[in-house]
Amino acid sequence: MSDSKLAGQFFDAAIGMLQRVRDEDAGEIAAAGTLIADTVAAGGRLFAFGAGHSSLAAQDIVYRAGGLALMNLLAVPGVVGVDVMPATLGSALERVDGLASAVLDSSPVRSGDVLVIISLSGRNALPVEMAMKARALGVKVIGVTSVAYASETRSRHVSGTYLKDHCDIVLDSRIAVGDAELTLDAIEAPFAPASTVVTTALLQAVMATAAGALADRGIEPPLLRSGNVDGGHEWNSRVMTEYGDRIFYRR
């Protein structure tokens, strides 16, 4: 099989999944966008968290051109990416009980805020505890996960529950267990994961919905512009000054 054929198969798989979440998650996307707009309008703050490669989708909605300036990354040391040594340490930390509570207790997250938690499997202790603790604090939780994992894997949290069980709104990425879209007889393991493509698209759809919902209420969405276009820095400086008390990534 040619490399170009495999590339085409991956694009077809990714496009198919994007179409599926667009159609099947439409209600949840609308609800999540509305919740974020409600929170912005009410003076609340926005946070996003993801561990390992799920952190890529969290980072994709923080401090970026065209995104809401109020979205802050809730960082957990050692699990935000693959920059720790050894890289396997991040995966191990996702299974540590008590870590999420310690992070939230020392963070600026408070009642009335929104926390987006991204975890493909939703089975590890860290995202489950993060959602449970956040809701106990009065924080609204939007979970982005593959619900299929709850029926095909075992939870690693002491409660036996998954991220999906502790969210106000669940965005189902509908990624198959194992997160690999292609197989080939000559290759023993499945390959070509698409969870990042789908998850980032889901969240950008939510952000777009939130911006539109704010505009419908006569509220200018606090959006950032690219720093690489004329006037971008000046625009962003104005937004950050106006909403400085709700932006934590520049402190």
Coordinates of all heavy atoms in Angstrom, one line a residue, residues 63-131:
Y63 N -4.8 31.6 25.4 CA -3.9 32.6 24.9 C -3.6 32.4 23.4 O -2.5 32.2 23.0 CB -2.6 32.7 25.7 CG -1.7 33.8 25.3 CD1 -2.2 35.1 25.3 CD2 -0.4 33.5 25.0 CE1 -1.3 36.1 24.9 CE2 0.5 34.6 24.6 CZ 0.0 35.9 24.6 OH 0.8 36.9 24.2
R64 N -4.6 32.5 22.6 CA -4.4 32.3 21.1 C -5.3 33.2 20.3 O -6.4 33.6 20.8 CB -4.6 30.9 20.7 CG -6.0 30.3 20.7 CD -6.1 29.1 19.9 NE -5.6 29.3 18.6 CZ -4.9 28.4 17.8 NH1 -4.7 27.2 18.3 NH2 -4.5 28.8 16.6
A65 N -4.8 33.6 19.2 CA -5.5 34.5 18.3 C -6.9 33.8 17.9 O -7.0 32.7 17.6 CB -4.7 34.7 17.0
G66 N -7.9 34.7 18.1 CA -9.3 34.2 17.8 C -9.9 33.5 19.0 O -11.1 33.1 18.9
G67 N -9.2 33.4 20.1 CA -9.8 32.7 21.2 C -10.2 33.7 22.3 O -9.8 34.8 22.3
L68 N -10.9 33.2 23.3 CA -11.3 34.0 24.4 C -10.2 34.2 25.3 O -9.5 33.3 25.8 CB -12.5 33.3 25.2 CG -13.8 33.2 24.5 CD1 -14.8 32.3 25.3 CD2 -14.4 34.6 24.3
A69 N -9.9 35.5 25.6 CA -8.8 35.9 26.5 C -8.9 35.4 27.9 O -7.9 35.2 28.6 CB -8.6 37.4 26.5
L70 N -10.1 35.0 28.3 CA -10.4 34.7 29.7 C -10.1 33.2 30.0 O -10.2 32.7 31.1 CB -11.8 35.0 30.1 CG -12.3 36.4 29.9 CD1 -13.6 36.6 30.6 CD2 -11.3 37.4 30.4
M71 N -9.8 32.4 28.9 CA -9.5 31.0 29.2 C -8.1 30.8 29.7 O -7.1 31.2 29.0 CB -9.7 30.2 27.9 CG -9.6 28.7 28.0 SD -10.8 27.9 29.2 CE -12.3 28.0 28.1
N72 N -8.0 30.2 30.9 CA -6.7 30.0 31.5 C -6.4 28.5 31.6 O -7.2 27.7 31.8 CB -6.7 30.6 33.0 CG -7.0 32.0 33.0 OD1 -6.2 32.9 32.9 ND2 -8.3 32.4 33.2
L73 N -5.1 28.2 31.5 CA -4.6 26.8 31.6 C -4.5 26.5 33.1 O -3.8 27.2 33.8 CB -3.3 26.6 30.9 CG -2.8 25.2 30.8 CD1 -3.7 24.3 30.0 CD2 -1.4 25.1 30.3
L74 N -5.1 25.4 33.5 CA -4.9 24.9 34.9 C -3.8 23.9 34.8 O -4.0 22.7 34.3 CB -6.2 24.3 35.4 CG -6.1 23.8 36.9 CD1 -5.8 24.9 37.8 CD2 -7.4 23.1 37.3
A75 N -2.6 24.3 35.2 CA -1.5 23.4 35.0 C -1.2 22.5 36.2 O -1.3 23.0 37.3 CB -0.2 24.2 34.7
V76 N -0.9 21.2 35.9 CA -0.5 20.3 36.9 C 0.9 19.9 36.6 O 1.2 19.3 35.6 CB -1.4 19.0 37.0 CG1 -1.0 18.1 38.0 CG2 -2.9 19.4 37.2
P77 N 1.9 20.3 37.5 CA 3.3 20.0 37.2 C 3.5 18.5 36.8 O 3.1 17.6 37.5 CB 4.0 20.4 38.5 CG 3.1 21.4 39.1 CD 1.7 20.9 38.8
G78 N 4.2 18.3 35.7 CA 4.6 17.0 35.3 C 3.6 16.3 34.4 O 4.0 15.2 33.8
V79 N 2.4 16.8 34.2 CA 1.5 16.1 33.4 C 0.9 16.9 32.2 O 0.1 16.4 31.4 CB 0.2 15.6 34.2 CG1 0.7 14.8 35.4 CG2 -0.6 16.8 34.6
V80 N 1.4 18.1 32.0 CA 0.9 19.0 31.0 C 1.4 18.6 29.6 O 0.7 18.9 28.6 CB 1.2 20.5 31.3 CG1 0.8 21.4 30.1 CG2 0.5 20.9 32.5
G81 N 2.5 17.9 29.5 CA 3.0 17.5 28.2 C 3.9 16.4 28.3 O 3.9 15.6 29.3
V82 N 4.8 16.2 27.3 CA 5.8 15.1 27.3 C 7.2 15.7 27.4 O 8.1 15.1 27.0 CB 5.7 14.3 26.0 CG1 4.4 13.6 25.9 CG2 5.8 15.2 24.7
D83 N 7.2 16.9 28.1 CA 8.5 17.5 28.3 C 9.2 17.1 29.6 O 10.3 17.5 29.9 CB 8.4 19.0 28.3 CG 7.4 19.5 29.4 OD1 6.5 18.7 29.8 OD2 7.4 20.7 29.7
V84 N 8.5 16.2 30.4 CA 9.1 15.7 31.7 C 10.0 14.5 31.3 O 9.9 13.9 30.3 CB 8.0 15.3 32.7 CG1 7.3 16.5 33.1 CG2 7.1 14.2 32.1
M85 N 11.0 14.3 32.2 CA 11.9 13.1 32.0 C 11.8 12.2 33.2 O 12.0 12.6 34.3 CB 13.3 13.6 31.8 CG 13.5 14.4 30.5 SD 13.3 13.4 29.0 CE 14.7 12.4 29.1
P86 N 11.5 10.9 33.0 CA 11.2 10.3 31.7 C 9.7 10.7 31.3 O 8.9 11.1 32.2 CB 11.3 8.8 32.0 CG 10.9 8.7 33.4 CD 11.5 10.0 34.1
A87 N 9.4 10.6 30.0 CA 8.1 11.0 29.5 C 7.0 10.2 30.2 O 5.8 10.6 30.3 CB 8.0 10.9 28.0
T88 N 7.3 9.0 30.6 CA 6.3 8.1 31.2 C 5.9 8.6 32.6 O 4.9 8.1 33.1 CB 6.9 6.7 31.4 OG1 8.2 6.8 32.0 CG2 7.1 6.0 30.0
L89 N 6.7 9.5 33.2 CA 6.3 10.0 34.5 C 4.9 10.7 34.5 O 4.1 10.6 35.4 CB 7.4 11.0 35.0 CG 7.0 11.8 36.3 CD1 6.9 10.8 37.5 CD2 8.1 12.8 36.6
G90 N 4.7 11.4 33.4 CA 3.4 12.1 33.2 C 2.2 11.1 33.3 O 1.2 11.4 34.0
S91 N 2.3 10.0 32.7 CA 1.3 9.0 32.7 C 1.1 8.4 34.1 O 0.0 8.2 34.6 CB 1.6 7.8 31.7 OG 1.6 8.3 30.4
A92 N 2.2 8.2 34.8 CA 2.2 7.7 36.2 C 1.5 8.7 37.1 O 0.7 8.3 38.0 CB 3.6 7.4 36.7
L93 N 1.7 10.0 36.9 CA 1.1 11.0 37.8 C -0.4 11.1 37.6 O -1.1 11.5 38.5 CB 1.8 12.4 37.5 CG 3.2 12.5 38.0 CD1 3.8 13.9 37.6 CD2 3.3 12.4 39.5
E94 N -0.9 10.7 36.4 CA -2.3 10.7 36.2 C -3.0 9.7 37.1 O -4.3 9.9 37.3 CB -2.6 10.4 34.7 CG -2.3 11.5 33.7 CD -2.8 11.1 32.4 OE1 -4.0 11.0 32.2 OE2 -1.9 11.0 31.5
R95 N -2.3 8.8 37.6 CA -2.9 7.8 38.5 C -2.7 8.0 40.0 O -3.1 7.2 40.8 CB -2.4 6.4 38.1 CG -2.6 6.0 36.6 CD -2.3 4.6 36.3 NE -0.9 4.3 36.3 CZ -0.1 4.4 35.3 NH1 -0.5 4.8 34.1 NH2 1.2 4.1 35.4
V96 N -2.2 9.2 40.3 CA -1.9 9.5 41.7 C -3.1 10.1 42.4 O -3.6 11.1 41.9 CB -0.7 10.4 41.8 CG1 -0.5 10.9 43.3 CG2 0.6 9.7 41.3
D97 N -3.6 9.5 43.4 CA -4.7 10.0 44.2 C -4.3 11.3 45.0 O -3.2 11.3 45.5 CB -5.3 9.0 45.2 CG -6.0 7.8 44.5 OD1 -6.6 8.0 43.4 OD2 -5.9 6.7 45.0
G98 N -5.2 12.3 45.0 CA -4.9 13.5 45.8 C -4.2 14.6 45.1 O -4.2 15.7 45.6
L99 N -3.6 14.3 43.9 CA -2.9 15.4 43.2 C -3.9 16.5 42.7 O -3.6 17.6 42.8 CB -2.2 14.7 42.0 CG -1.4 15.7 41.1 CD1 -0.4 16.4 41.9 CD2 -0.7 14.9 40.0
A100 N -5.0 16.1 42.2 CA -6.0 17.1 41.7 C -6.5 18.0 42.8 O -6.6 19.2 42.6 CB -7.2 16.4 41.0
S101 N -6.8 17.4 43.9 CA -7.2 18.2 45.1 C -6.2 19.2 45.5 O -6.5 20.4 45.8 CB -7.6 17.3 46.3 OG -8.7 16.6 45.9
A102 N -4.9 18.8 45.5 CA -3.8 19.7 45.9 C -3.7 20.9 44.9 O -3.5 22.0 45.3 CB -2.5 19.0 46.0
V103 N -3.9 20.6 43.6 CA -3.8 21.6 42.6 C -4.9 22.6 42.7 O -4.7 23.8 42.7 CB -3.7 20.9 41.2 CG1 -3.9 22.0 40.1 CG2 -2.4 20.2 41.0
L104 N -6.1 22.1 42.8 CA -7.3 23.0 42.9 C -7.2 23.8 44.2 O -7.6 25.0 44.1 CB -8.6 22.2 42.9 CG -9.0 21.7 41.5 CD1 -10.2 20.7 41.6 CD2 -9.3 22.8 40.6
D105 N -6.8 23.3 45.3 CA -6.7 24.0 46.5 C -5.8 25.2 46.4 O -5.9 26.2 47.2 CB -6.3 23.1 47.7 CG -7.5 22.2 48.1 OD1 -8.6 22.5 47.7 OD2 -7.2 21.2 48.8
S106 N -4.8 25.1 45.6 CA -3.8 26.2 45.5 C -4.0 27.0 44.2 O -3.1 27.8 43.9 CB -2.4 25.6 45.5 OG -2.2 24.7 44.4
S107 N -5.1 26.8 43.5 CA -5.3 27.5 42.3 C -6.3 28.7 42.5 O -7.0 28.7 43.6 CB -5.9 26.6 41.2 OG -7.3 26.3 41.5
P108 N -6.5 29.6 41.5 CA -7.5 30.6 41.7 C -8.9 30.2 41.3 O -9.8 31.0 41.4 CB -7.0 31.7 40.7 CG -6.3 30.9 39.6 CD -5.7 29.7 40.3
V109 N -9.1 28.9 41.0 CA -10.5 28.4 40.7 C -11.4 28.6 41.9 O -11.1 28.2 43.0 CB -10.4 27.0 40.2 CG1 -11.8 26.5 39.9 CG2 -9.5 26.8 39.0
R110 N -12.6 29.1 41.6 CA -13.6 29.3 42.7 C -15.0 29.1 42.2 O -15.2 29.0 41.0 CB -13.4 30.8 43.2 CG -13.9 31.8 42.2 CD -13.6 33.2 42.7 NE -14.1 34.3 41.8 CZ -13.8 35.5 41.9 NH1 -13.0 36.0 42.9 NH2 -14.3 36.4 41.0
S111 N -15.9 29.1 43.1 CA -17.3 28.9 42.8 C -17.8 29.9 41.7 O -17.5 31.1 41.8 CB -18.2 29.0 44.0 OG -19.5 28.8 43.7
G112 N -18.5 29.4 40.7 CA -19.0 30.2 39.7 C -18.2 30.2 38.4 O -18.6 30.7 37.4
D113 N -17.0 29.6 38.5 CA -16.1 29.5 37.4 C -16.5 28.2 36.5 O -17.3 27.4 37.0 CB -14.7 29.3 37.8 CG -14.1 30.6 38.4 OD1 -14.8 31.7 38.3 OD2 -13.1 30.5 39.1
V114 N -15.9 28.1 35.4 CA -16.0 26.9 34.5 C -14.7 26.3 34.3 O -13.7 27.0 34.1 CB -16.6 27.3 33.1 CG1 -16.4 26.2 32.1 CG2 -18.1 27.6 33.3
L115 N -14.6 25.0 34.5 CA -13.4 24.2 34.2 C -13.7 23.2 33.1 O -14.6 22.4 33.3 CB -13.0 23.5 35.5 CG -11.8 22.5 35.4 CD1 -10.5 23.2 34.8 CD2 -11.5 21.9 36.7
V116 N -12.9 23.3 32.0 CA -13.0 22.3 31.0 C -11.9 21.2 31.3 O -10.7 21.6 31.4 CB -12.7 22.9 29.6 CG1 -12.7 21.9 28.5 CG2 -13.7 24.0 29.3
I117 N -12.3 20.0 31.4 CA -11.4 18.9 31.7 C -11.4 18.0 30.5 O -12.4 17.4 30.1 CB -11.8 18.1 32.9 CG1 -11.9 19.1 34.2 CG2 -10.8 17.0 33.2 CD1 -12.3 18.4 35.4
I118 N -10.2 17.8 29.9 CA -10.1 16.9 28.7 C -9.3 15.7 29.1 O -8.2 15.7 29.6 CB -9.3 17.7 27.6 CG1 -10.0 19.0 27.4 CG2 -9.2 16.9 26.4 CD1 -9.1 20.1 27.0
S119 N -9.9 14.5 28.9 CA -9.3 13.2 29.1 C -9.9 12.2 28.1 O -11.1 11.9 28.2 CB -9.4 12.8 30.5 OG -8.9 11.5 30.7
L120 N -9.1 11.7 27.2 CA -9.6 10.8 26.2 C -10.3 9.6 26.9 O -11.4 9.3 26.6 CB -8.5 10.3 25.3 CG -8.9 9.3 24.3 CD1 -10.0 9.8 23.4 CD2 -7.7 8.8 23.5
S121 N -9.6 8.9 27.8 CA -10.2 7.8 28.4 C -11.1 8.1 29.6 O -12.0 7.4 29.9 CB -9.1 6.8 28.9 OG -8.4 7.4 30.1
G122 N -10.8 9.2 30.3 CA -11.6 9.6 31.5 C -11.5 8.6 32.6 O -12.4 8.7 33.5
R123 N -10.5 7.7 32.6 CA -10.5 6.6 33.6 C -9.5 6.8 34.7 O -9.6 6.2 35.7 CB -10.2 5.3 32.9 CG -8.8 5.2 32.3 CD -8.6 3.9 31.5 NE -8.7 2.7 32.2 CZ -7.9 1.7 32.1 NH1 -6.9 1.7 31.2 NH2 -8.0 0.6 32.8
N124 N -8.5 7.7 34.5 CA -7.5 7.9 35.5 C -7.9 8.7 36.7 O -8.9 9.5 36.6 CB -6.2 8.5 34.8 CG -5.5 7.5 33.9 OD1 -5.2 6.4 34.3 ND2 -5.3 7.9 32.7
A125 N -7.2 8.6 37.8 CA -7.6 9.2 39.0 C -7.6 10.7 38.9 O -8.5 11.4 39.4 CB -6.6 8.8 40.1
L126 N -6.6 11.3 38.2 CA -6.5 12.7 38.1 C -7.7 13.5 37.5 O -8.2 14.4 38.1 CB -5.2 13.1 37.3 CG -4.8 14.5 37.2 CD1 -4.7 15.2 38.6 CD2 -3.5 14.7 36.4
P127 N -8.1 13.1 36.3 CA -9.3 13.8 35.8 C -10.6 13.6 36.5 O -11.4 14.5 36.7 CB -9.4 13.3 34.3 CG -8.7 12.0 34.3 CD -7.6 12.2 35.3
V128 N -10.7 12.4 37.0 CA -12.0 12.0 37.8 C -12.0 12.9 39.1 O -13.0 13.5 39.4 CB -12.0 10.5 38.1 CG1 -13.2 10.2 39.0 CG2 -12.1 9.7 36.8
E129 N -10.9 12.9 39.8 CA -10.8 13.6 41.1 C -10.9 15.1 40.8 O -11.5 15.9 41.6 CB -9.5 13.3 41.8 CG -9.3 14.0 43.1 CD -7.9 13.8 43.7 OE1 -7.3 12.8 43.3 OE2 -7.4 14.7 44.4
M130 N -10.3 15.6 39.7 CA -10.4 17.0 39.3 C -11.8 17.4 39.1 O -12.3 18.5 39.6 CB -9.6 17.2 38.0 CG -9.5 18.7 37.6 SD -8.3 19.6 38.5 CE -6.8 18.9 37.8
A131 N -12.6 16.6 38.4 CA -14.0 16.9 38.2 C -14.8 16.9 39.5 O -15.6 17.8 39.8 CB -14.6 16.0 37.2

